[in-house]
């Protein structure tokens, strides 16, 4: 696989990954062949529809990562290996991809995560306890997916949630217990 990794705007702590437009990343075990760098706080990759999988073991290469953004690609799934050991990660944006599934345990290590944007994908269901370890989560965006129902206890441990975006899905009914404990919600769409 060829590609280039650079600090696009000479900003400190930013890693922008530009795979060549002809590069296809269709291996679930795709990893970043970069040396460990504790200074990288933001990882961006965007605009290549041949990127089908997220890199694994990102936390081993960039343990102080705070923002992870892979948009306008063709990512198909989120695996439990993608976000391991990223205890400082605060924001994930995976919009405009083709995500159909999220493996149980995918977000378990993300104890500092505040924003999760999975909008504009093809997610049709969510594992029951997928967000249970996201105690700091303030905003979640699941708009424009193919969700038909939501687990009743989906946000049971997310007591700091302020904004929830669910519009443009196929949800017919939300369980009455869905909002139990969500006392901080200001915006639901």
């Amino acid at each position: 696989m060829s590609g280039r990794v650079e600090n696009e705007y000479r900003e400190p702590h930013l890693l922008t990954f530009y795979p060549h437009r002809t590069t296809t990343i269709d291996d679930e075990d795709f990893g970043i062949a970069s040396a460990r760098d504790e200074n990288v706080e933001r990882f961006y990759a965007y605009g290549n529809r041949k990127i089908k999988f997220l890199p694994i073991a990102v936390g081993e290469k960039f343990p102080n990562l705070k923002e992870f953004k892979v948009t306008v690609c063709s990512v198909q799934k989120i695996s439990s290996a993608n976000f391991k050991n990223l205890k400082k990660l605060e924001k994930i944006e995976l919009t405009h991809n083709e995500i159909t599934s999220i493996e149980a345990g995918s977000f378990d290590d993300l104890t500092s995560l505040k924003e999760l944007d999975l909008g504009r994908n093809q997610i049709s269901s969510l594992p029951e306890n997928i967000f249970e370890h996201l105690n700091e989560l303030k905003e979640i965006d699941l708009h424009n997916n193919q969700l038909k129902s939501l687990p009743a206890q989906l946000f049971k441990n997310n007591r700091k949630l302020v904004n929830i975006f669910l519009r443009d899905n196929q949800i017919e009914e939300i369980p009455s217990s869905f909002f139990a404990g969500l006392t901080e919600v200001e915006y639901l769409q």
Side-chain angles (χ1 to χ4, degrees):
M1 196 221 32
S2 60
R4 70 188 156 120
V5 176
E6 64 181 49
N7 185 330
E8 182 182 30
Y9 302 105
R10 306 275 185 247
E11 292 181 49
H13 315 299
L14 170 64
L15 178 78
T16 304
F17 177 63
Y18 293 101
H20 292 242
R21 297 284 182 208
T22 58
T23 300
T24 299
I25 300 173
D26 59 1
D27 181 359
E28 280 189 73
D29 295 324
F30 160 66
I32 298 172
S34 173
R36 182 179 171 96
D37 189 339
E38 295 185 12
N39 293 316
V40 174
E41 293 181 354
R42 295 180 287 163
F43 178 93
Y44 294 170
Y46 48 87
N48 185 338
R49 289 292 182 184
K50 294 184 178 187
I51 297 176
K52 296 181 180 179
F53 294 98
L54 296 173
I56 60 170
V58 174
E60 291 175 17
K61 300 291 184 180
F62 313 117
N64 294 317
L65 206 63
K66 290 184 180 178
E67 185 175 350
F68 184 89
K69 180 177 179 178
V70 176
T71 61
V72 193
C73 294
S74 295
V75 175
Q76 298 172 353
K77 74 180 220 173
I78 299 172
S79 115
S80 60
N82 295 135
F83 298 112
K84 288 285 181 209
N85 302 315
L86 287 170
K87 304 263 185 226
K88 296 181 181 181
L89 194 63
E90 295 177 0
K91 181 178 182 178
I92 294 175
E93 184 178 342
L94 298 173
T95 60
H96 297 273
N97 280 290
E98 298 173 6
I99 298 169
T100 57
S101 66
I102 303 172
E103 195 173 287
S106 291
F107 304 126
D108 285 1
D109 284 356
L110 306 179
T111 54
S112 297
L113 196 69
K114 293 179 178 146
E115 295 179 46
L116 178 59
D117 191 344
L118 300 171
R120 297 190 183 271
N121 281 289
Q122 299 170 14
I123 302 166
S124 59
S125 66
L126 295 166
E128 178 89 23
N129 298 317
I130 192 66
F131 305 129
E132 76 177 325
H133 297 283
L134 304 181
N135 298 326
E136 299 299 317
L137 193 64
K138 292 183 180 205
E139 180 170 304
I140 186 155
D141 192 337
L142 295 164
H143 89 280
N144 207 331
N145 275 287
Q146 297 174 5
L147 292 169
K148 294 180 179 147
S149 65
L150 298 169
Q153 303 283 316
L154 185 63
F155 298 128
K156 71 179 178 184
N157 293 341
N158 310 118
R159 305 223 183 269
K160 294 183 180 180
L161 260 178
V162 175
N163 299 316
I164 303 172
F165 299 93
L166 298 170
R167 73 181 183 280
D168 299 323
N169 277 289
Q170 300 167 13
I171 301 168
E172 293 180 15
E173 183 178 342
I174 294 178
S176 59
S177 62
F178 185 77
F179 296 102
L182 296 179
T183 58
E184 302 295 318
V185 173
E186 294 177 6
Y187 192 79
L188 171 65
Q189 184 180 44

